[in-house]
Amino acid sequence: IGPDEAIVLPSDATDTHPEGELVVVIGARASHVSVAEASRCILGYTIGNDVSERAWQAGDRQWWRAKGCDTFAPLGPWIETEFDLADASLSTRINGELVQEGKLSELIFGVPEVIAFASRYVTLEPGDVIFTGTPGHTRAMEPGDRVEITVSGLGTLSNSVMG
């Protein structure tokens, strides 16, 4: 879903968290690219919310349900092709309360490493997106909440939460 669309929580969800993430958008086919080659495969960057139902993450053998429900991966507000993530930071707020923040330079893996690793196993095509990881911890969101994820230099992705 996009900006300003609602995240709809399934009726049996009990502990659903937002995870603010930098998202890289692939612009050129990438298969078995090196870390040095990975930057040539990037179209740009946007913001993503890797919505995650923690109870399902803990209880299911696979995470497809916990992270793959309809409306669980909002993206936006746009794709920025000229973005320097060296000093960029990310913050997530629920109803204005800061629940997550960190510098993108402190993520465990850099964007080129993520692209190189993924391209060893799947061919990345133009338009594919890769969520790059989330800093810190968050808290559960509830119907009626508003989630805002801001990446300095990219803007803010804002979504309401419905039950």
Side-chain angles (χ1 to χ4, degrees):
I1 67 171
D4 297 318
E5 294 183 61
I7 298 164
V8 181
L9 303 180
S11 61
D12 55 342
T14 60
D15 189 23
T16 310
H17 291 229
E19 292 183 6
E21 299 195 25
L22 175 70
V23 175
V24 61
V25 182
I26 301 300
R29 184 174 241 231
S31 179
H32 298 276
V33 298
S34 69
V35 171
E37 297 168 323
S39 296
R40 293 186 297 212
C41 303
I42 298 171
L43 171 68
Y45 298 89
T46 193
I47 303 167
N49 184 349
D50 188 14
V51 176
S52 302
E53 170 49 49
R54 300 289 190 231
W56 297 344
Q57 274 184 295
D60 292 357
R61 290 179 181 247
Q62 298 291 323
W63 285 7
W64 70 267
R65 179 172 69 139
K67 292 182 170 276
C69 291
D70 291 342
T71 75
F72 267 30
L75 291 172
W78 51 74
I79 299 169
E80 180 59 56
T81 58
E82 300 294 324
F83 176 63
D84 180 8
L85 59 93
D87 292 320
S89 61
L90 178 145
S91 64
T92 302
R93 297 180 185 280
I94 299 176
N95 301 325
E97 176 190 345
L98 184 66
V99 297
Q100 178 183 43
E101 83 179 318
K103 293 219 168 266
L104 296 177
S105 62
E106 296 172 354
L107 291 174
I108 295 170
F109 300 104
V111 171
E113 289 83 9
V114 171
I115 292 171
F117 181 79
S119 78
R120 287 174 44 197
Y121 303 99
V122 296
T123 299
L124 302 170
E125 298 288 352
D128 284 349
V129 296
I130 301 173
F131 284 64
T132 61
T134 191
H137 301 282
T138 64
R139 71 164 173 82
M141 55 188 180
E142 305 290 334
D145 286 347
R146 183 141 198 95
V147 178
E148 295 176 324
I149 301 167
T150 301
V151 173
S152 57
L154 288 182
T156 299
L157 170 64
S158 182
N159 300 92
S160 59
V161 181
M162 297 176 60

